[in-house]
Amino acid sequence: MFDIKLATIIANIPALMIGFAFHEFAHAWVADRLGDPTPRSQGRLTLNPFVHLDLFGTLMALLYRFGWAKPVITNPHYYRGDKRRGQMMVSLAGSIMNLITAFVVMLIWFLTMLWLEASEWSGILSLVFQSTVLMNLGLGVFNLLPIPPLDGFGVLGSLLPERFAPQLQMIEQYGFVILIVLLFTDVLGNILSPTVIGIFDVYQKIISLILTPFLV
């Protein structure tokens, strides 16, 4: 049992590197496209995972597949067009990228397993693929929660009228504490895990439909 758990944690290392890198790059890229030079000037417009890692968020992701990276600093005043719409686009970009990445990695995983013969190495490779898919799904879903400092809180702020700004700022002061309490009491796990597994199953069915004509 320990070996299985240890193997999963080790497989989570490349998984979180991919998940965090694509997640934060997506935030930076969308903000950059909207006219904000801040992410580029801070070196965040990159797929280098080490630029984006947050120590505690990384540990949470390794152990639970629900974690966070170092936030990409943006300045909505630079956004072209509707600032609130721009803020929503930037906030959603990371999770959308994780969900897309999970689908693409699962497709590559299934194709790879079709070509490889069953062996110890194929089992290890399959575990890394599986961890990468689950990590990206976990990051994508987790970060949509409307709890600061997660992206979902930014989406909520862009949707609510500006008169709610004082209340949101008050919640933001205690957001990290709320997040930690929910994580360690497993409340989030009981909500997020079924959601992640549900999306995993949907992706699996879609990819099976895509690949079935080529296997006949």
Side-chain angles (χ1 to χ4, degrees):
M1 187 70 179
F2 173 78
D3 290 340
I4 294 174
K5 180 68 174 177
L6 180 60
T8 301
I9 292 175
I10 292 172
N12 280 344
I13 294 174
L16 74 85
M17 292 289 188
I18 293 170
F20 281 161
F22 279 88
H23 182 100
E24 298 304 330
F25 173 79
H27 286 312
W29 185 82
V30 172
D32 187 73
R33 296 293 294 175
L34 288 172
D36 182 7
T38 311
R40 184 182 292 273
S41 68
Q42 295 186 348
R44 302 301 299 277
L45 200 64
T46 176
L47 286 172
N48 178 1
F50 296 102
V51 173
H52 304 298
L53 294 183
D54 173 89
L55 179 59
F56 191 66
T58 299
L59 289 174
M60 291 296 100
L62 276 175
L63 296 174
Y64 304 109
R65 292 201 180 102
F66 302 122
W68 56 90
K70 190 187 305 179
V72 172
I73 304 301
T74 61
N75 188 343
H77 294 294
Y78 285 109
Y79 296 164
R80 290 186 290 269
D82 189 323
K83 311 299 184 187
R84 291 168 66 84
R85 179 174 174 271
Q87 183 61 42
M88 181 185 294
M89 291 172 63
V90 172
S91 296
L92 287 172
S95 287
I96 292 173
M97 176 63 86
N98 282 135
L99 295 176
I100 293 172
T101 301
F103 185 85
V104 172
V105 171
M106 181 180 280
L107 179 59
I108 297 171
W109 174 23
F110 283 21
L111 288 171
T112 302
M113 292 303 105
L114 287 174
W115 294 332
L116 285 181
E117 295 182 2
S119 67
E120 183 178 351
W121 285 108
S122 65
I124 294 172
L125 187 59
S126 181
L127 180 59
V128 173
F129 273 121
Q130 182 187 57
S131 295
T132 304
V133 171
L134 291 173
M135 181 68 72
N136 275 276
L137 290 178
L139 291 173
V141 174
F142 176 67
N143 278 280
L144 287 176
L145 293 173
I147 304 171
L150 303 180
D151 301 327
F153 191 74
V155 175
L156 180 65
S158 64
L159 289 173
L160 291 177
E162 292 187 7
R163 67 176 182 272
F164 289 99
Q167 290 90 334
L168 292 176
Q169 289 175 359
M170 182 180 68
I171 295 172
E172 196 167 9
Q173 295 177 8
Y174 304 102
F176 193 75
V177 176
I178 296 170
L179 190 61
I180 296 303
V181 170
L182 291 176
L183 276 172
F184 281 100
T185 54
D186 209 31
V187 173
L188 290 183
N190 291 331
I191 298 171
L192 295 178
S193 293
T195 305
V196 168
I197 297 304
I199 299 173
F200 185 97
D201 290 341
V202 170
Y203 279 12
Q204 192 171 27
K205 290 175 182 177
I206 293 172
I207 291 173
S208 295
L209 288 173
I210 293 172
L211 296 181
T212 296
F214 300 98
L215 300 177
V216 178

